[in-house]
Amino acid sequence: MGRPTCCDKVGIKKGPWTPEEDIILVTYIQEHGPGNWRSVPTNTGLLRCSKSCRLRWTNYLRPGIKRGNFTPHEEGMIVHLQALWGNKWAAIASYLPQRTDNDIKNYWNTHLKKKMKKLQSAFDSQMMASDSTPSSISKVQTGKSHQNMTSTKNPHHYPSIYASSTQNISRLLEGWMISSSSSTSQKELADQETNKECINGLVESVNFEFESVLAFDNGSWDKMMSGDYCPKGGYVYDEKAKCILHERKHQKQESLNNPPLTFFDRWLLDESASQL
DNA sequence: AATCGCCTCAACCGCCTACCC
DNA sequence: CGGGTAGGCGGTTGAGGCGAT
């Protein structure tokens, strides 16, 4: 018979928040700042548990939150980070500062997972038809996957995981290209054309981001984040982008001679160290 | 207009970890 | 050192919206 958690206590209100409750919470946090959630319900008089207050603030009321309308760029970020880390939504959200982990998780579960499944099934059926693919090609991640990746003793193992994920998506696209040429009806062709456009955008952004994340330090990352993005999917390779690509090539060449610790290297190194 | 079924997303639940006493 | 608790995270649920019939 354990002690009830804060949310199990009698008199605690559950369900959707009212505007009045929101105002009370926001006013309190504006005065005292976020944190010490335990004291929030008692100090504000809200009949909510501390967890509920924290969640409401971080997922909804916190300033600077962007809601809905995920851009292809953001989709690409989510897809490749999910492929890299699995369902580490908080970690993924840290690279999309305007998005909450809950939002990203929801978007993955309702949109991107389906998209990935579609890609996978299209790829599978193509492979079944051609029957010429090495069995070693792995699948696109749609759920729990590389969560134990960071436990590796050598943090420099991750590029292979990254590369395989990039390749998977590229290969899926290849599969798509082949299958679309042998399809039958006009409608199917049109549908596949539309899908191909979406997939192209996704894959292009994913590939670009994959390489960028691996090669960029913080400054370059910021530069890339402020770059232009074509709403149809994919980057506009303007002068800024060319400059970044040139810098990337230069960094790659340098890294071959004397591999530096990139932003991700350092992060993963910290992660690995903390788990030892 | 009514009903049904699917989709979305805010919120809750349960577990884990860190911290405090 | 061990127990208790708060905070954080990922999984899941369910109410409400919306399109199809």
Side-chain angles (χ1 to χ4, degrees):
Chain A
M1 299 311 193
R3 188 194 185 92
T5 67
C6 66
C7 304
D8 295 332
K9 286 176 185 165
V10 186
I12 292 297
K13 192 179 165 193
K14 289 183 182 179
W17 280 64
T18 64
E20 290 77 18
E21 287 176 314
D22 283 344
I23 290 166
I24 292 169
L25 183 59
V26 168
T27 308
Y28 178 82
I29 290 170
Q30 273 175 349
E31 283 175 20
H32 301 89
N36 195 12
W37 295 106
R38 182 181 41 154
S39 63
V40 173
T42 43
N43 291 348
T44 57
L46 285 168
L47 298 174
R48 298 281 181 170
C49 71
S50 55
K51 266 189 178 186
S52 186
C53 293
R54 181 177 58 81
L55 229 59
R56 184 64 181 172
W57 171 257
T58 54
N59 288 340
Y60 204 86
L61 301 172
R62 183 165 54 94
I65 290 178
K66 207 164 102 188
R67 310 196 67 76
N69 297 324
F70 279 75
T71 64
H73 172 224
E74 287 172 319
E75 279 193 11
M77 288 282 288
I78 295 166
V79 167
H80 93 249
L81 289 174
Q82 201 279 340
L84 178 65
W85 294 330
N87 299 351
K88 296 287 179 190
W89 306 119
I92 293 169
S94 68
Y95 287 90
L96 296 164
Q98 293 178 307
R99 303 291 187 180
T100 68
D101 54 353
N102 206 37
D103 231 15
I104 292 169
K105 179 172 60 181
N106 280 335
Y107 192 67
W108 171 264
N109 285 331
T110 56
H111 293 94
L112 296 179
K113 198 153 86 175
K114 284 177 202 164
K115 228 177 210 178
M116 291 296 120
K117 269 186 181 167
K118 256 189 181 177
L119 280 167
Q120 184 61 54
S121 58
F123 175 73
D124 283 348
S125 59
Q126 175 57 36
M127 287 303 109
M128 291 282 267
S130 65
D131 196 28
S132 62
T133 313
S135 57
S136 60
I137 294 176
S138 59
K139 298 195 173 193
V140 166
Q141 305 303 314
T142 54
K144 289 182 181 179
S145 57
H146 297 130
Q147 298 193 8
N148 57 351
M149 184 271 296
T150 51
S151 68
T152 175
K153 296 274 180 193
N154 180 1
H156 292 280
H157 281 168
Y158 67 83
S160 62
I161 295 165
Y162 241 124
S164 65
S165 301
T166 319
Q167 285 161 6
N168 286 344
I169 296 169
S170 300
R171 286 179 185 182
L172 283 178
L173 182 62
E174 273 177 36
W176 244 106
M177 300 293 226
I178 297 160
S179 69
S180 67
S181 64
S182 61
S183 57
T184 50
S185 76
Q186 290 284 333
K187 191 183 179 306
E188 277 173 17
L189 275 171
D191 286 348
Q192 289 187 3
E193 209 50 47
T194 312
N195 283 334
K196 264 163 60 183
E197 270 190 41
C198 298
I199 294 161
N200 265 322
L202 190 60
V203 168
E204 191 179 349
S205 59
V206 167
N207 284 338
F208 186 86
E209 295 282 353
F210 262 158
E211 288 193 37
S212 305
V213 166
L214 286 175
F216 279 21
D217 58 15
N218 264 324
S220 306
W221 178 262
D222 290 343
K223 271 188 260 176
M224 187 194 74
M225 292 298 276
S226 63
D228 295 325
Y229 192 83
C230 168
K232 264 219 149 187
Y235 285 90
V236 178
Y237 290 91
D238 60 1
E239 289 306 308
K240 193 193 285 180
K242 278 181 199 165
C243 186
I244 293 168
L245 285 170
H246 179 263
E247 189 181 337
R248 207 170 86 218
K249 276 183 189 170
H250 178 71
Q251 286 180 349
K252 265 188 178 174
Q253 189 52 51
E254 272 202 347
S255 71
L256 285 173
N257 303 330
N258 184 22
L261 280 184
T262 64
F263 179 45
F264 258 58
D265 284 330
R266 285 193 294 271
W267 188 86
L268 288 166
L269 205 55
D270 289 345
E271 276 272 303
S272 304
S274 69
Q275 289 182 14
L276 289 176

